[in-house]
Amino acid sequence: MKKRSQRMALLQDLAQRKKRQADQFLADSQARVNQGEATLLQLEQFLGEYQQQFQQQGQAGVAVGQMLMARAFVEKIEASIRQHRETMKTNAEQLQQVEQYWRQVYGHQCAMKNLTERALTQERAEAEKQLQKELDERSQRVRTPFI
């Protein structure tokens, strides 16, 4: 039968793999949130620039059809921004869940590491105790004077 520390080392290895996977989930989720923020900023900047450009053109005079098309385009951009904000909200909630999962996995991995170290320390102490016992027994043996 394997020593306790060896069994614990296998469990610690599994916990480390799970933590690496959780690290990847966390990084992916953070990247999604960051990308969403950058995309939202770009959409809002584009909308502002488009509206400013259209106002400048409008000062020179714009046909009704052109104005209606521009308004429809602005509404589509605004709808995209609203939809993107909802997606960002979902991504932020998922990030919170992933962070909570990561903390849980990290705590489990640390606990497994501590248990493995404790088992190793205990096994070393037991081995030293056994060795000392054997040394004591050998020293107590009476040697015959015939040697």
Side-chain angles (χ1 to χ4, degrees):
M1 184 172 196
K2 290 184 177 181
K3 291 183 178 181
R4 183 172 182 246
S5 63
Q6 291 172 330
R7 293 189 311 265
M8 296 300 292
L10 290 174
L11 293 175
Q12 181 184 356
D13 184 49
L14 290 173
Q16 286 174 341
R17 286 186 209 166
K18 202 169 184 179
K19 185 187 171 291
R20 281 193 296 270
Q21 186 182 35
D23 288 342
Q24 186 62 46
F25 288 156
L26 183 61
D28 291 345
S29 188
Q30 287 173 334
R32 241 186 333 273
V33 167
N34 293 339
Q35 180 63 38
E37 290 172 353
T39 302
L40 180 63
L41 182 63
Q42 288 175 341
L43 283 170
E44 289 173 342
Q45 286 176 346
F46 178 74
L47 177 61
E49 291 171 4
Y50 184 80
Q51 288 174 331
Q52 184 180 16
Q53 182 183 13
F54 187 73
Q55 285 177 350
Q56 289 173 353
Q57 290 175 352
Q59 291 174 352
V62 181
V64 173
Q66 189 179 10
M67 192 165 108
L68 291 175
M69 283 183 14
R71 185 66 209 149
F73 184 68
V74 166
E75 287 175 0
K76 285 183 181 181
I77 294 173
E78 289 173 342
S80 293
I81 289 173
R82 282 190 302 274
Q83 182 181 11
H84 193 73
R85 282 191 176 132
E86 286 297 316
T87 301
M88 284 181 55
K89 182 180 175 184
T90 302
N91 287 343
E93 290 169 356
Q94 287 176 348
L95 176 60
Q96 288 179 345
Q97 292 172 352
V98 169
E99 285 173 341
Q100 182 179 359
Y101 173 73
W102 181 88
R103 281 190 293 273
Q104 178 185 0
V105 169
Y106 180 75
H108 179 72
Q109 190 255 342
C110 288
M112 293 306 300
K113 182 179 176 182
N114 290 339
L115 286 173
T116 303
E117 289 173 1
R118 202 176 309 154
L120 278 170
T121 302
Q122 184 180 3
E123 288 171 4
R124 286 184 194 124
E126 289 172 1
E128 287 177 19
K129 189 176 182 180
Q130 180 64 29
L131 179 62
Q132 186 62 44
K133 181 181 174 185
E134 290 173 7
L135 290 174
D136 290 346
E137 288 175 0
R138 284 185 186 172
S139 68
Q140 290 180 0
R141 290 186 190 152
V142 179
R143 293 189 179 179
T144 58
F146 301 112
I147 299 182

